[in-house]
Amino acid sequence: MKILFIADIVGNSGRKILSDKLAGFLDKEKPDFVIANAENAAAGKGLTRAIAQELFSLGINVITMGNHTFDRKEIVEIMDDPRILRPANYPPGVPGQGWGIYTASTNEAVGVINLMGRVYLPLIDCPFRAADAVIEQIRRETKVIFVDMHAEVTSEKSAITHYLDGRVSAVVGTHTHVQTADDGVRLSGTASLTDAGMTGPDEGVIGMDRDTVLKKFLTGMPQHFVEAQGDAVMQGCIVDVDAVTGMTRTIKRFSINTRGTK
Ligand code: FE2
């Protein structure tokens, strides 16, 4: 089973490059299931009902989120849609769900888990122990399990990859918006990539307008960040999973920009 993961979609530029390039990319790669992180899809912060619908209409099956999940109040109205996941390690009582089991185009079941790290991010429950509990439930139905670990630091993402090696198909990191070059399959068959990158503006500071970000760094004063304009990039990875064992054969990252230089 081929699973396509689209890295953090940021604002208009991210959605525009998806509407321009995703259909052709799907034709070429023929994934059986498509997951995208969209916590920055609405002008760089959060997600709206209309944007979620737009992303689903482009062929995305499941949307994962992160620390910006609840930045827009209207998200709560659509959090009961099982195709939208927020981190599973939010405390009990938080709206929405952190995992789900879906059907790929091969008719096989695929589990998806969204987790969030706790280093340099809002302190929520332990992602390691949340993963333990969820994996046990999903593995009763399928061994194909894709994890989006939304986290700031490499060490936390690497640690959870080793913790989950052999129990899930892939652990792919999101949040930093900078794609890492460490895609590979770990010793017990779990694919990993520390960060999948970004689908959004290519010329800003991790997607935001560089002038406002520079002003913050140069003056120390708070700034209202807006998304960067100009060229865009579409990044992510594709994993090829053995649907019987749930282990991954290959993982390959991709990076495509509007100028064709990536
Ligand atoms: Fe984030």
Side-chain angles (χ1 to χ4, degrees):
M1 185 196 301
K2 269 175 95 174
I3 301 171
L4 166 64
F5 182 76
I6 299 166
D8 307 34
I9 301 164
V10 178
N12 278 320
S13 311
R15 281 150 36 219
K16 171 87 168 51
I17 194 169
L18 283 179
S19 70
D20 290 346
K21 297 204 181 272
L22 185 59
F25 195 65
L26 295 177
D27 273 353
K28 182 172 156 246
E29 297 291 343
K30 298 188 172 34
D32 302 301
F33 198 75
V34 183
I35 306 163
N37 185 294
E39 69 142 12
N40 302 121
K45 268 191 169 188
L47 178 70
T48 63
R49 182 193 296 271
I51 291 172
Q53 277 164 356
E54 179 187 330
L55 297 177
F56 290 135
S57 74
L58 292 173
I60 291 164
N61 300 113
V62 167
I63 288 172
T64 51
M65 300 290 285
N67 53 306
H68 291 299
T69 302
F70 297 105
D71 282 7
R72 287 175 194 269
K73 285 196 177 75
E74 70 171 278
I75 187 77
V76 175
E77 295 164 20
I78 55 170
M79 284 309 287
D80 57 354
D81 185 328
R83 298 171 298 174
I84 299 173
L85 301 179
R86 47 82 174 152
N89 51 319
Y90 268 115
V94 170
Q97 52 284 314
W99 60 279
I101 300 174
Y102 312 91
T103 306
S105 65
T106 56
N107 262 333
E108 292 155 317
V110 48
V112 182
I113 307 173
N114 192 189
L115 296 170
M116 187 160 84
R118 298 193 293 183
V119 182
Y120 303 140
L121 281 173
L123 266 183
I124 58 173
D125 290 348
C126 175
F128 293 78
R129 292 183 176 87
D132 286 339
V134 171
I135 289 165
E136 197 186 309
Q137 294 186 66
I138 296 179
R139 280 177 71 92
R140 290 178 202 146
E141 285 188 49
T142 178
K143 289 180 179 169
V144 180
I145 303 175
F146 189 99
V147 178
D148 171 359
M149 174 65 177
H150 195 80
E152 180 75 46
V153 298
T154 304
S155 58
E156 194 177 22
K157 290 190 263 194
S158 177
I160 202 155
T161 297
H162 289 285
Y163 187 66
L164 300 180
D165 189 14
R167 292 193 283 156
V168 301
S169 310
V171 179
V172 173
T174 55
H175 178 72
T176 71
H177 296 187
V178 177
Q179 189 177 70
T180 55
D182 59 338
D183 44 331
V185 180
R186 307 273 72 84
L187 285 177
S188 299
T190 296
S192 68
L193 174 61
T194 299
D195 205 291
M198 174 180 67
T199 297
D202 202 18
E203 295 299 329
V205 177
I206 58 171
M208 295 293 112
D209 173 65
R210 55 186 163 189
D211 292 336
T212 46
V213 176
L214 280 173
K215 209 167 173 185
K216 180 170 182 183
F217 277 111
L218 290 168
T219 65
M221 292 174 67
Q223 301 294 323
H224 175 65
F225 292 153
V226 291
E227 64 179 281
Q229 302 300 316
D231 291 332
V233 66
M234 179 173 89
Q235 295 180 321
C237 64
I238 299 171
V239 292
D240 182 16
V241 181
D242 181 323
V244 176
T245 65
M247 295 301 101
T248 293
R249 299 183 190 100
T250 59
I251 175 170
K252 63 172 182 177
R253 65 198 149 86
F254 61 86
S255 182
I256 299 162
N257 73 358
T258 39
R259 280 173 296 156
T261 53
K262 279 184 182 169

